[in-house]
Amino acid sequence: MTTNLEVKVWRGKEDGGFVTYEVPRLDSQTVLDVVTYIQRHLDPALSYRYACRVGMCGSCAMNINGKAGWTCRSHVSHVAAGGKLEIAPLSNLPVVKDLVVDMTEFFDKWARAKGSFKGVLTRYDQFARVEPASKQRRAADAGIECIGCAVCYSSCDVVAWRPDYLGPAALNRAWTLVNDVRDIAQPERMRAVAGDAGCHSCHTQGSCTERCPKSLAPTAGIAGLKRLVVKAALGSRK
Ligand code: SF4
Ligand code: SF4
Ligand code: FES
């Protein structure tokens, strides 16, 4: 006998609401399978995003029973308490429609945090050699696998309180670059992360680190930035 899941899905924009669907429960079913079933069999107008289905692209992130996560890697058996699912768009970003959010502000903040690499070498120079065991290389490597899914950003209550806060992903990116010995934009980057909306706004409770599907620790990177900013301020008073 096939059992059904009761699935509430957000429809519309910010002023929309939940619509309930009955979806057949299947073995090894993911939350993305559930959303796809609804769109293909029950309501073709449902909007959502995904690309890889295997935890590589980060585009399928949504709120699942109140917690942000990748729908393609969230098994129904792990998240559907009592056979019930509530699927909503990510928090802290404007809703375009249904389960799709506008990521513009999220990526603008990467730019504001000086999150792009600036080097000096040309194609004619030798590659820079960076010792894999060096402290800075290990710090950069620890945060480099971010794929920009915004799960951390959606989970951060400081972003909810003050929308100008750069947020965990942009600050994690800044931290990887602060530790990149080849990069020459460190003064601008330090100024960008030291501002009012930068690292000092983080309260270190760690929802970003708890939820990051790549097991990264933006909280630790932000703490590192705080230390560097304080050190630079003390140094400038000498
Ligand atoms: S730090 Fe983790 S949760 Fe945040 S955007 Fe990167 S991969 Fe996603
Ligand atoms: S630790 Fe900082 S960046 Fe992470 S969720 Fe909390 S306030 Fe946001
Ligand atoms: S669809 Fe690419 S991470 Fe889920």
Side-chain angles (χ1 to χ4, degrees), residues 30 32 53-55 60 70-75 78:
T30 65
L32 184 59
R53 304 188 72 138
V54 288
C60 68
W70 294 344
T71 52
C72 74
R73 303 294 284 175
S74 300
H75 279 261
H78 295 158

Side-chain angles (χ1 to χ4, degrees), residues 27-86:
D27 284 343
S28 306
Q29 191 176 26
T30 65
V31 175
L32 184 59
D33 293 333
V34 170
V35 176
T36 302
Y37 180 92
I38 295 170
Q39 200 226 34
R40 294 206 180 148
H41 300 279
L42 306 176
D43 192 343
L46 174 65
S47 300
Y48 67 111
R49 279 197 195 108
Y50 73 96
C52 71
R53 304 188 72 138
V54 288
M56 297 288 288
C57 70
S59 65
C60 68
M62 298 171 203
N63 271 321
I64 307 158
N65 284 354
K67 286 188 182 170
W70 294 344
T71 52
C72 74
R73 303 294 284 175
S74 300
H75 279 261
V76 170
S77 55
H78 295 158
V79 293
K84 291 188 182 181
L85 263 181
E86 187 183 276

Side-chain angles (χ1 to χ4, degrees), residues 39-137:
Q39 200 226 34
R40 294 206 180 148
H41 300 279
L42 306 176
D43 192 343
L46 174 65
S47 300
Y48 67 111
R49 279 197 195 108
Y50 73 96
C52 71
R53 304 188 72 138
V54 288
M56 297 288 288
C57 70
S59 65
C60 68
M62 298 171 203
N63 271 321
I64 307 158
N65 284 354
K67 286 188 182 170
W70 294 344
T71 52
C72 74
R73 303 294 284 175
S74 300
H75 279 261
V76 170
S77 55
H78 295 158
V79 293
K84 291 188 182 181
L85 263 181
E86 187 183 276
I87 308 171
L90 287 179
S91 308
N92 299 337
L93 289 161
V95 180
V96 177
K97 179 177 174 285
D98 305 336
L99 302 170
V100 177
V101 290
D102 181 349
M103 301 282 283
T104 308
E105 182 70 7
F106 176 75
F107 288 115
D108 281 354
K109 287 181 177 177
W110 285 49
R112 255 184 268 160
K114 305 292 172 201
S116 52
F117 175 75
K118 200 167 173 191
V120 279
L121 298 183
T122 71
R123 69 175 78 176
Y124 305 107
D125 295 312
Q126 288 291 327
F127 287 116
R129 288 166 190 265
V130 183
E131 183 55 50
S134 69
K135 195 175 163 207
Q136 280 178 304
R137 171 72 179 267

Side-chain angles (χ1 to χ4, degrees), residues 6-27:
E6 186 186 311
V7 188
K8 288 186 177 166
V9 179
W10 187 263
R11 301 306 309 272
K13 297 194 178 213
E14 317 276 350
D15 59 353
F18 285 102
V19 174
T20 304
Y21 302 89
E22 294 278 319
V23 176
R25 179 77 178 88
L26 301 170
D27 284 343

